[in-house]
Amino acid sequence: MKLPIIRKLYQAAPAEKLQATVEVLEAFCEMNVKDEEIDVAGELITNLCGAIEVHELVNSGMKESDALNTFSKKVLGSIDR
């Protein structure tokens, strides 16, 4: 999960388009694909889901920078556990 990528995804597309992309990648992973391809798709899905969450935070009234920081702290907090 990379915050600069999440920021770019958030800025580039609305949450609905990001969600549609997640669904396509999830369907791709269910096909007969190599483990390496699943790893790449999984990383993409993780970043897309992060951007969707940032959209949700901004829609709830947070500034973009605060939403990105909140999301980052949430991820780092879950890693520390």
Side-chain angles (χ1 to χ4, degrees):
M1 186 173 306
K2 296 183 167 89
L3 195 58
I5 292 172
I6 291 169
R7 177 185 295 118
K8 292 283 187 185
L9 289 169
Y10 162 77
Q11 294 171 340
E16 297 80 19
K17 285 189 177 184
L18 298 173
Q19 184 59 45
T21 305
V22 168
E23 291 169 9
V24 169
L25 289 169
E26 287 173 341
F28 171 78
C29 289
E30 293 174 2
M31 297 176 188
N32 188 21
V33 294
K34 298 176 185 174
D35 288 341
E36 296 84 20
E37 294 169 327
I38 291 175
D39 291 342
V40 171
E43 182 68 22
L44 291 169
I45 290 169
T46 302
N47 288 319
L48 288 161
C49 289
I52 292 168
E53 188 164 337
V54 170
H55 269 291
E56 291 170 359
L57 292 170
V58 170
N59 289 340
S60 72
M62 259 188 213
K63 294 189 314 184
E64 178 183 335
S65 58
D66 292 339
L68 288 162
N69 286 333
T70 298
F71 176 75
S72 180
K73 288 177 186 175
K74 177 182 173 183
V75 170
L76 292 174
S78 68
I79 293 172
D80 290 340
R81 294 181 195 171

